[in-house]
Amino acid sequence: MAALAFLILFPLIPSSLLFCTRNEKFGAFVVRFSSVSIAAASIYLSFRFFNGVFLFGLSEYEFLNMLMLGVEILIGVYIVVLGVKHRRFPLVCFAVVQMCVLLGFEFGSGKHIDVVGTLMVDKLSIIMVLIVGIIGGLICLYSVEYMKDHHKYHPSPQGDRKNVFFSVLFLFLSAMFGLVLSNHLLWMLFFWEITSLCSFWLIGYPQTEEARKNAFYALTINVGGGLAFAVGIVLIALHYGILDFDTLLSIQRHSGVLLLGVFLMALAGLTKSAQLPFSRWLLGAMVAPTPSSAMLHSSTMVKAGVYLIIRLSPMLGDNYIGIVVTLVGSFTFLTTAMIAISQSDAKKILAYSTLSNLGLIITCAAIGTQESLWAAVMLIIFHAIAKSLLFLAVGSTEHKLGSRNVEDMDGLLNISGQLTMYLIIGIAGMFLAPFGMLISKWAAMKAFVDSGNVLIVLMVAFGSSVTLFFWTKWMGKLVENYSKTKVTDYEMRGDELIPLNLLSFMVVVACFCYPLISSYAIIPYLKDIYFAFPVAAPLNRLDMTITRFMMVIIFILPLVLIPIYRWNKVKSVSVYLAGQNAGDNKSFYGSAGKTQTVEHANWYMKKYFGEKTLLKKCMLLSAVMLVIGFYIALEGLLV
């Protein structure tokens, strides 16, 4: 119990200290010490509670519930005041209605409902704790050096407010630990709302007009999702008298009230994970500093949404809720992958690929089979590691090149071999064999085929092929034999290098360790929630043989290539430029002896896959799917 309390409460200490001080050296020490402590505590908790499912009751601490209710009221009042001040009236409506629902329930029927296990530790929560603690801690550590240069490249109207930025990061970690360790639904909702507020502060950190607009949009979407979550909880609590997840999942007979409540909770998960039609808030988060983008996209904010849907997975499947969530997830996966083709801004590519991967995870969870849920959890792990590495590497690359446009990364290999290595490992981790994302997609495809969802199989197959296109374009730019002359004097330092090196190492190690993760973490979790022995693994013996063969490639390529380059057995020649090279590998003698500058550019097909072409139409289609699902849920309630 002490380990759980430490993870939830300890981050509040550095958050408070950092908010109250502007001393750079002291702040850096607090961030470093706290990041390492949180990561270590996460690892300790995983070893301490690895064998079994543990419930911790806190009924003797009734004051905690009242304290949390008081804080939630303060959050609601703060949001209402902000909404009125900035004329965000939908935000005000969502916040007011949610406060009325919760206060009416808490001082009415809710006070008579007892929860035996307020906090819970099982295999899934351990996986999430490790993701939040280790990757979140590394992102905080990376921020120490990154933020020193951030304001030089991105001046803020409010000046240097790094202490506030760091303070919100640690508050974010505290809320995420509370969320993934909560078995009490109202506790989960409390931490859910804090993550929404933290995302608002992080996105709005630059204090520009665009940042404020995007921050309010994100807050409106997430508070709306929080309202759906609250109404779903209250409906289930009033009808069944339960407020805990483990009892909720044990209900055998699904009534109309239960399905409507679960649908609203799943809707909250879709908003938090930025699925269509709610995707714009996460795209708008790109205005924030890179560490906050990494935090929102990889280890915390969006993972809260998919975590909730994975928890609800046994109640989805073949019913109409599962079908609607599956369609929205798979449609998001395909659509956002296609839009990513048209993007040249590296952070936008990462944003759309994040939306796409989250769509695949939600599709797997909503299918509700053991195989698909195996793939969903595995996808969460690999996505968190590889995507956080890519976001941080892009941040350092932007400082080095003065740009984050992929077209400006020509020949980054000749400028910074280190940065190129980080980016290539991260990109390879997202789509190349034998890295985990490909293995997990393979397992997901097999699960969809086994479940007989032909439409989903087609959407996932096309979506997976599209991802190959935009990742390959980017990787090709990195190794192009063309050196940019305009680079900054920026050099990476210890606090940046340590997280980048560790995340690169984790991407490769996770690839080899996935059978162990499956055997000792994911399969036992499936056994606990399905009350049956799941399949040994979603991959059969032939699949495993092929996977092991692909892994050998990781060792063969360095063994072949390193000696060749080391002993200079490769002859260096001028680049062929469709004409006589002028000698600088950047220009050539063309027709009539004219000197022409060579231009290398990828094909982005904006006419077919651009945001203007696809995004609004796809958001409308997804909204229609959800409206139909909500109508069916209400009809089932009335029947």
Side-chain angles (χ1 to χ4, degrees):
M1 180 62 190
L4 278 69
F6 179 87
L7 281 175
I8 296 172
L9 298 177
F10 174 75
L12 298 179
I13 298 174
S15 178
S16 302
L17 289 173
L18 290 163
F19 184 80
C20 296
T21 182
R22 283 179 174 258
N23 186 294
E24 194 166 300
K25 288 186 178 180
F26 177 72
F29 168 77
V30 170
V31 173
R32 290 169 185 143
F33 176 80
S34 303
S35 300
V36 173
S37 299
I38 289 170
S42 303
I43 296 170
Y44 169 77
L45 182 137
S46 68
F47 281 105
R48 175 70 177 78
F49 298 105
F50 191 75
N51 295 315
V53 178
F54 301 87
L55 291 172
F56 300 91
L58 297 174
S59 56
E60 66 272 25
Y61 302 108
E62 181 60 31
F63 74 94
L64 288 176
N65 291 327
M66 298 308 297
L67 177 63
M68 293 170 72
L69 179 61
V71 174
E72 195 148 14
I73 291 172
L74 290 176
I75 292 174
V77 171
Y78 173 76
I79 292 173
V80 169
V81 171
L82 273 178
V84 171
K85 181 180 178 181
H86 295 274
R87 299 181 179 277
R88 308 283 173 168
F89 297 114
L91 175 61
V92 174
C93 292
F94 290 151
V96 169
V97 173
Q98 182 174 334
M99 278 197 294
C100 293
V101 169
L102 289 177
L103 288 174
F105 175 72
E106 288 278 10
F107 292 105
S109 303
K111 62 184 179 183
H112 304 298
I113 301 175
D114 294 324
V115 176
V116 176
T118 304
L119 301 177
M120 179 176 68
V121 181
D122 64 357
K123 297 295 190 298
L124 179 60
S125 58
I126 285 175
I127 289 171
M128 294 301 297
V129 162
L130 289 173
I131 289 173
V132 174
I134 296 176
I135 297 179
L138 289 174
I139 291 171
C140 290
L141 184 62
Y142 172 90
S143 303
V144 173
E145 291 294 344
Y146 177 89
M147 292 303 291
K148 287 181 181 178
D149 295 298
H150 173 76
H151 288 286
K152 183 169 73 174
Y153 299 105
H154 305 280
S156 171
Q158 304 297 322
D160 190 337
R161 297 162 50 248
K162 291 195 294 288
N163 62 313
V164 176
F165 181 81
F166 291 131
S167 176
V168 176
L169 286 183
F170 282 102
L171 178 60
F172 214 151
L173 292 182
S174 172
M176 275 303 298
F177 283 128
L179 193 154
V180 301
L181 292 171
S182 292
N183 184 49
H184 195 308
L185 290 170
L186 289 179
W187 279 49
M188 180 179 282
L189 176 63
F190 171 75
F191 292 115
W192 184 278
E193 292 302 310
I194 293 178
T195 61
S196 298
L197 194 57
C198 288
S199 68
F200 168 75
W201 288 329
L202 288 174
I203 296 170
Y205 175 78
Q207 295 291 302
T208 61
E209 184 58 35
E210 181 185 13
R212 280 192 290 270
K213 178 182 175 182
N214 293 350
F216 272 108
Y217 184 80
L219 187 62
T220 303
I221 293 294
N222 284 299
V223 171
L227 172 59
F229 198 176
V231 174
I233 291 172
V234 170
L235 279 175
I236 293 171
L238 291 176
H239 194 268
Y240 290 94
I242 58 173
L243 278 172
D244 53 311
F245 245 118
D246 58 330
T247 306
L248 173 63
L249 297 180
S250 66
I251 297 175
Q252 298 297 319
R253 189 172 180 179
H254 294 177
S255 67
V257 173
L258 180 67
L259 291 177
L260 177 59
V262 171
F263 177 81
L264 291 171
M265 293 168 70
L267 180 63
L270 293 175
T271 60
K272 187 74 82 173
S273 55
Q275 297 298 282
L276 291 172
F278 312 109
S279 301
R280 280 191 180 275
W281 81 258
L282 195 61
L283 299 172
M286 293 296 97
V287 299
T290 292
S292 61
S293 298
M295 193 74 85
L296 292 172
H297 284 253
S298 62
S299 62
T300 55
M301 185 71 167
V302 293
K303 291 298 186 296
V306 294
Y307 172 78
L308 176 60
I309 291 180
I310 286 176
R311 283 290 187 202
L312 295 171
S313 179
M315 308 193 75
L316 303 178
D318 291 334
N319 58 47
Y320 70 86
I321 306 173
I323 293 171
V324 170
V325 176
T326 299
L327 286 172
V328 171
S330 57
F331 188 63
T332 301
F333 172 67
L334 174 61
T335 302
T336 52
M338 290 192 295
I339 296 176
I341 291 176
S342 67
Q343 304 303 310
S344 59
D345 184 305
K347 284 181 75 172
K348 272 208 166 184
I349 295 173
L350 295 179
Y352 277 112
S353 68
T354 294
L355 296 174
S356 181
N357 289 128
L358 293 173
L360 181 58
I361 294 170
I362 285 173
T363 303
C364 291
I367 291 289
T369 65
Q370 295 171 348
E371 285 183 313
S372 65
L373 196 53
W374 183 96
V377 179
M378 197 64 78
L379 281 165
I380 283 181
I381 296 170
F382 287 114
H383 177 265
I385 301 170
K387 193 54 67 71
S388 57
L389 171 62
L390 280 170
F391 266 109
L392 298 186
V394 164
S396 296
T397 302
E398 181 181 6
H399 283 181
K400 184 67 178 177
L401 301 179
S403 169
R404 62 176 185 239
N405 194 307
V406 169
E407 293 302 312
D408 294 329
M409 295 183 188
D410 308 78
L412 183 63
L413 183 63
N414 297 326
I415 299 168
S416 175
Q418 257 184 319
L419 279 172
T420 306
M421 178 190 71
Y422 298 141
L423 287 169
I424 287 179
I425 290 174
I427 293 173
M430 294 302 299
F431 85 108
L432 283 183
F435 291 97
M437 288 298 290
L438 188 68
I439 294 170
S440 303
K441 286 180 181 178
W442 189 351
M445 185 68 73
K446 183 178 184 300
F448 299 150
V449 172
D450 291 344
S451 66
N453 290 276
V454 179
L455 176 62
I456 306 302
V457 169
L458 291 174
M459 294 175 76
V460 172
F462 279 103
S464 297
S465 63
V466 167
T467 60
L468 176 70
F469 190 75
F470 63 79
W471 288 127
T472 304
K473 287 195 302 178
W474 189 352
M475 188 177 283
K477 274 290 180 183
L478 296 174
V479 297
E480 197 173 284
N481 188 18
Y482 173 80
S483 297
K484 289 182 66 68
T485 55
K486 185 180 178 182
V487 295
T488 68
D489 57 357
Y490 169 80
E491 294 295 335
M492 291 183 292
R493 288 151 291 194
D495 289 324
E496 288 179 83
L497 290 171
I498 292 172
L500 288 168
N501 286 324
L502 284 177
L503 288 170
S504 299
F505 177 73
M506 289 166 62
V507 170
V508 177
V509 168
C511 169
F512 292 96
C513 292
Y514 90 88
L516 297 176
I517 298 171
S518 172
S519 299
Y520 292 101
I522 301 179
I523 289 178
Y525 167 69
L526 297 178
K527 179 181 175 181
D528 290 335
I529 64 171
Y530 284 104
F531 307 103
F533 288 90
V535 291
L539 305 179
N540 60 32
R541 184 172 296 180
L542 176 61
D543 295 334
M544 291 295 292
T545 302
I546 296 172
T547 302
R548 291 190 186 102
F549 173 76
M550 291 191 299
M551 287 181 177
V552 176
I553 298 173
I554 289 184
F555 293 106
I556 292 177
L557 287 177
L559 290 175
V560 172
L561 296 176
I562 291 174
I564 293 176
Y565 284 95
R566 186 173 181 180
W567 295 324
N568 296 320
K569 292 187 178 180
V570 175
K571 184 179 179 181
S572 180
V573 297
S574 297
V575 178
Y576 176 67
L577 302 177
Q580 185 180 354
N581 195 319
D584 57 3
N585 287 341
K586 300 174 187 177
S587 53
F588 62 96
Y589 299 115
S591 59
K594 284 187 176 181
T595 302
Q596 297 181 340
T597 302
V598 66
E599 293 184 9
H600 300 166
N602 280 312
W603 190 24
Y604 290 99
M605 296 183 282
K606 291 184 181 291
K607 180 180 177 181
Y608 307 104
F609 300 121
E611 290 175 305
K612 293 181 179 179
T613 305
L614 290 179
L615 190 57
K616 286 185 179 180
K617 298 173 184 175
C618 294
M619 288 174 65
L620 179 61
L621 284 174
S622 297
V624 169
M625 293 180 201
L626 291 176
V627 169
I628 292 173
F630 185 67
Y631 173 77
I632 296 173
L634 284 177
E635 191 176 53
L637 178 63
L638 295 175
V639 171

